[in-house]
Amino acid sequence: MFVLVNLKAYAADPVEIATVAHEVADESGVRIAVAPQTAHLERVAETGVETWAQHVSPVEHGSHTGSALAEAVADAGAVGTLINHSEKRLKLADVDGAVAAAERASLETVVCANNPEQVGAAAALGPDAVAVEPPELIGGDVSVSQADPDIVEDAVAAADAVDESVDVLCGAGVSTGEDLDAAGDLGAEGVLLASGVAKADDPRAALSGLVETLS
């Protein structure tokens, strides 16, 4: 299982969480990555944790002020990127362009989608994975794998129907080991979470508890 921690723009210390994530990954053998703000990518990557960007823009080198250039993200130490998070929605053509930009910079890609139908459309663009995240559950106390397991199963089926090589991650409300186990039982290859770690009083305890059944 892959655990991808999105720090969003929370008032959390990205280096502290990255350091903890790296240590828990080493101790547990579980793949854990951290996606900080773009300005913090290099500092986070220096901790040794697998580092992801929260977004890349569908652009090449040129006159694109304010864009997150995929090559710059990679130069800062990122090895992957989220695309089309519910808080950073893109048109389908721009999702396609962002996936292409990430591939150009050798970045792994996870495209976010609201529902199984969108998962199928996203999978057709050839990302490495798609994360299903019903917006109403994001930031809540109940994970999608617990609240509506059919969405996860249907998302896995939708991705498989298009391209069996595209993994499905489970997002929205994930915070416990039970959530992670439930996601795996439903066919997901990992989880995407944020507040469960980024807003935790003890990020190490939160991450350790999340992966304890996998180690």
Side-chain angles (χ1 to χ4, degrees):
M1 293 289 280
F2 176 35
V3 176
L4 178 52
V5 181
N6 177 15
L7 299 186
K8 300 191 176 183
Y10 288 135
D13 184 336
V15 173
E16 177 188 359
I17 292 179
T19 300
V20 165
H22 187 217
E23 292 171 353
V24 173
D26 279 349
E27 293 164 3
S28 65
V30 177
R31 183 187 176 193
I32 301 175
V34 174
Q37 287 282 297
T38 301
H40 298 151
L41 281 170
E42 191 166 355
R43 291 170 58 208
V44 165
E46 286 173 352
T47 69
V49 76
E50 182 176 332
T51 303
W52 280 54
Q54 296 180 7
H55 167 75
V56 295
S57 303
V59 299
E60 300 180 359
H61 285 282
S63 303
H64 304 293
T65 301
S67 296
L69 182 69
E71 285 81 359
V73 163
D75 287 345
V79 299
T81 184
L82 293 172
I83 295 171
N84 197 49
H85 190 275
S86 64
E87 296 157 2
K88 189 68 175 178
R89 282 289 180 222
L90 301 174
K91 296 179 181 178
L92 189 61
D94 288 336
V95 174
D96 192 18
V99 170
E103 291 177 347
R104 192 179 66 232
S106 299
L107 294 170
E108 194 171 340
T109 51
V110 170
V111 175
C112 299
N114 287 349
N115 54 54
E117 183 179 3
Q118 289 186 12
V119 166
L125 302 178
D128 294 290
V130 178
V132 58
E133 287 195 304
E136 65 274 13
L137 296 177
I138 293 176
D141 296 325
V142 181
S143 75
V144 60
S145 60
Q146 303 280 355
D148 197 343
D150 288 346
I151 287 182
V152 182
E153 291 185 321
D154 291 347
V156 171
D160 283 348
V162 174
D163 186 342
E164 292 183 352
S165 71
V166 176
D167 291 335
V168 173
L169 307 186
C170 176
V174 174
S175 62
T176 69
E178 289 182 356
D179 297 335
L180 189 62
D181 289 344
D185 290 343
L186 294 169
E189 298 292 335
V191 293
L192 172 62
L193 72 156
S195 58
V197 172
K199 298 176 73 174
D201 292 334
D202 187 341
R204 167 179 278 280
L207 269 174
S208 295
L210 185 72
V211 304
E212 64 183 351
T213 61
L214 301 179
S215 56

